[in-house]
Amino acid sequence: MPIKKVIAPQIDFSGLRQELRLPEEFPAAVLADAEAAARDTALPATDRTDVPFVTIDPASSRDLDQAMHLSRRAGGGYRVRYAIADVATFVAAGGPVAQESWVRGQTVYLPDGRIPLHPPVLSEGAVSLFPDADRAAVLWTIDLDADGATVAVELERARVRSRAKLDYDSVQQQVDAGTAPESVALLPEIGALLARRAADRGAVNLPLPSQELERDGEGWRLVLRAPLPVEEDNAQISLLTGMAAASIMLSGGIGLLRTMPAPKPEAVEKLRAAAASLGIAWPSGASVGAVVAAVDPANPRGAAFLEQAADLLRGAAYTAFGVQPPEAGGNGNGGSVVPGVPELTGHGGVGAPYAHVTAPLRRLADRYATEICLALHEVRPVPDWAVEALPRLPKAMSATDRIASAADRGAIDLAEAVLLEHRVGETFEAAVLDREEPSEKRPPQGTIAIDDPAVRARCLGDLPLGQRVPVRLTTADPATRTVRFEAA
């Protein structure tokens, strides 16, 4: 899908920062603690710097959490080496940086700058997996058979050295030309195997184009960007690692999962009906994931179908287990270890148990889940600081997820309103992504998307799902970040 862009004037995001109460500068004590850690922390003794790792991230990224090396195994199959920045080695439990990370929860991204989880001297310096520098990492080595099934998992703290900082666009070009670096040349092959296995187990991956705001000279541009194939392949490596982490924690009886209920049968039937009305093929016996994977998101009918499919992926949560919350009789510092696993262990979107462990520079929970996996894999007690944090993590991550989502959506809403505020009354052609039946209190309405600028918004009127229709812009208010249309 080509990138669509319209240039916007300067946009002030300070009101959004204040509304969401996003933290600003790090306190002096936190900065001092981070600088001391960056200066004095020793790297792991285990040396894996002979492995030619590379990172793949957006070109502007400096907080590099993951580095990979992919190879074939003697006798068949594959070896996935995935090095994750070792944040816990640099962040002392209970210290100023650790305490501040609980205040922030995760890195929040706004177009005019990010609000980092950790001070930049760590997240964009000593801990980030920049090339040509020795770094501390938690190294996952996952062996796959020829069909992509996991046959062995090893986990260790190690010293690693990335050879290159790659970006998605250039890697996609190299993959297409057959010139990808040796470390990632197998990414499309392994990614396709893992995606096929995901579809077979009922995973649902929604390849929806994303709206992004980027600087353009003195102003901004709003772009609609579809994920590149190499991004999807890269995501499969992260999912593979998260599933391995969940397996370790479930076997050990303690941990932190990312859970989501499986789609309800009635929701699947509703989606099947939407597919029929939109002309989307649903072969007999095909899973939701397989149908979704075959849909073209650039087609209005395909985009409408994917919008409907998003309703299946509701109820995501962090689920801690193996600890007893204080209100249930545990100690006031976080709980005592008890046997048992939660009733819900799976993730409906992944189609398997899954945990977040691959982004500790940007997400608080990953540091704790990783430490639990290391302890269980090495058959040693889980550190008290990790055990005590478990009961508090689900609530903390739920709160920070809401803030991050509000920041992302708020920035896009503001840009859309700024772009359109002088065009109220104009008529646009739009694709109907969603429609709601009217009620006594609500007139017929739905969600539409216009192409230029790339805006999604609510629209009043009886809208034909998956069709292109003329709509009139009735409201574009930057003060309230509101854009509304009505059927023309």
Side-chain angles (χ1 to χ4, degrees):
M1 175 182 295
I3 295 175
K4 299 180 183 297
K5 68 176 185 177
V6 175
I7 306 303
Q10 286 287 359
I11 303 175
D12 184 4
F13 297 96
S14 61
L16 184 59
R17 290 172 179 267
Q18 294 169 6
E19 178 184 321
L20 297 176
R21 299 181 180 179
L22 298 176
E24 298 182 0
E25 298 297 325
F26 285 93
V30 175
L31 293 174
D33 185 35
E35 290 165 0
R39 182 182 63 247
D40 301 333
T41 300
L43 298 181
T46 300
D47 191 337
R48 301 288 183 239
T49 56
D50 60 314
V51 180
F53 289 102
V54 297
T55 60
I56 310 177
D57 292 274
S60 61
S61 293
R62 294 186 57 81
D63 47 353
L64 310 181
D65 285 293
Q66 313 104 10
M68 75 170 64
H69 179 270
L70 309 175
S71 60
R72 297 190 188 277
R73 295 169 59 216
Y78 309 87
R79 172 158 289 177
V80 175
R81 292 186 178 97
Y82 210 37
I84 308 301
D86 186 5
V87 176
T89 288
F90 287 80
V91 177
V97 173
Q99 292 179 33
E100 181 68 14
S101 69
W102 278 85
V103 173
R104 294 172 178 247
Q106 66 181 286
T107 298
V108 176
Y109 295 89
L110 285 173
D112 63 345
R114 53 182 167 265
I115 298 88
L117 174 61
H118 303 101
V121 69
L122 296 178
S123 61
E124 300 178 15
V127 190
S128 184
L129 301 179
F130 282 114
D132 303 321
D134 287 5
R135 289 289 187 262
V138 175
L139 177 57
W140 293 81
T141 301
I142 304 175
D143 286 343
L144 308 175
D145 67 15
D147 295 322
T150 298
V151 295
V153 177
E154 293 294 330
L155 185 59
E156 62 182 348
R157 278 199 157 92
R159 179 192 306 236
V160 302
R161 176 179 282 253
S162 172
R163 300 300 196 271
K165 179 181 181 294
L166 308 179
D167 64 84
Y168 292 119
D169 288 335
S170 63
V171 171
Q172 187 64 60
Q173 292 170 9
Q174 291 168 335
V175 165
D176 293 343
T179 60
E182 176 253 342
S183 296
V184 295
L186 290 171
L187 185 57
E189 184 176 334
I190 296 174
L193 281 174
L194 295 176
R196 191 176 306 124
R197 296 185 66 84
D200 289 344
R201 65 175 183 263
V204 180
N205 174 44
L206 297 179
L208 287 169
S210 61
Q211 287 174 291
E212 300 175 9
L213 264 176
E214 298 177 349
R215 285 196 180 276
D216 194 298
E218 295 299 316
W220 299 89
R221 61 179 180 175
L222 180 64
V223 301
L224 183 65
R225 193 187 302 279
L228 296 169
V230 73
E231 292 181 75
E232 297 294 304
D233 295 332
N234 191 57
Q236 289 296 333
I237 302 299
S238 182
L239 289 171
L240 173 72
T241 308
M243 289 188 291
S247 179
I248 289 172
M249 290 188 284
L250 286 169
S251 296
I254 182 172
L256 182 71
L257 302 177
R258 188 69 164 145
T259 57
M260 178 188 291
K264 295 181 179 179
E266 55 267 32
V268 175
E269 286 307 309
K270 181 180 177 182
L271 183 63
R272 193 185 298 271
S277 68
L278 292 167
I280 302 295
W282 195 314
S284 177
S287 67
V288 173
V291 175
V292 166
V295 170
D296 179 7
N299 179 284
R301 290 175 178 265
F305 177 76
L306 293 176
E307 186 83 8
Q308 303 300 302
D311 287 339
L312 300 179
L313 303 181
R314 305 294 185 194
Y318 286 87
T319 301
F321 63 99
V323 291
Q324 184 176 345
E327 58 270 21
N331 64 58
N333 291 325
S336 56
V337 178
V338 296
V341 296
E343 181 177 347
L344 175 61
T345 62
H347 188 290
V350 179
Y354 168 70
H356 277 163
V357 293
T358 62
L361 283 173
R362 291 169 280 175
R363 198 166 45 213
L364 174 67
D366 297 44
R367 182 166 85 239
Y368 294 88
T370 294
E371 202 63 32
I372 292 169
C373 288
L374 278 165
L376 293 174
H377 185 75
E378 296 169 1
V379 195
R380 59 177 172 80
V382 176
D384 288 343
W385 60 265
V387 174
E388 292 171 355
L390 272 181
R392 297 184 287 133
L393 278 166
K395 182 177 180 180
M397 293 308 301
S398 177
T400 193
D401 279 349
R402 286 194 298 270
I403 292 172
S405 295
D408 183 57
R409 188 63 251 170
I412 297 297
D413 288 346
L414 176 58
E416 290 177 342
V418 170
L419 283 167
L420 293 171
E421 66 175 322
H422 300 301
R423 302 181 67 177
V424 172
E426 288 189 30
T427 298
F428 300 78
E429 186 181 74
V432 180
L433 302 180
D434 188 20
R435 72 187 302 270
E436 297 176 6
E437 297 299 330
S439 66
E440 292 183 2
K441 298 182 179 180
R442 186 182 62 224
Q445 56 187 293
T447 302
I448 56 93
I450 63 173
D451 295 330
D452 190 12
V455 169
R456 294 157 59 97
R458 301 296 292 166
C459 181
L460 289 174
D462 190 7
L463 304 169
L465 186 64
Q467 301 295 313
R468 296 190 71 87
V469 298
V471 296
R472 183 180 302 105
L473 179 63
T474 59
T475 303
D477 184 0
T480 59
R481 303 194 296 272
T482 301
V483 172
R484 293 290 183 269
F485 291 84
E486 64 180 21

